[in-house]
Amino acid sequence: MLNNAFGAGAVLALAAAAVLLFLVTRPRLYGWDRASYPYWAGLHDNEIVALHAG
């Protein structure tokens, strides 16, 4: 009985860690703020260079 409780706790801890990892590392795919992938994908090469130079 005690082993089942430890196993369930381990599974819950692993699931919580996986969800936290997903939330931290997922790309921002919404909006057009300057930190999102769609924003940078929509720029031309010269616009990217100008943003980094400024």
Side-chain angles (χ1 to χ4, degrees):
M1 180 93 170
L2 190 58
N3 288 338
N4 289 339
F6 284 124
V11 168
L12 287 174
L14 184 61
V19 168
L20 183 62
L21 181 66
F22 171 72
L23 291 174
V24 169
T25 59
R26 68 187 172 96
R28 285 199 220 171
L29 297 177
Y30 54 88
W32 283 94
D33 60 348
R34 292 180 62 172
S36 68
Y37 288 112
Y39 176 78
W40 290 101
L43 295 178
H44 294 286
D45 292 341
N46 56 351
E47 293 172 318
I48 295 173
V49 171
L51 284 172
H52 283 286

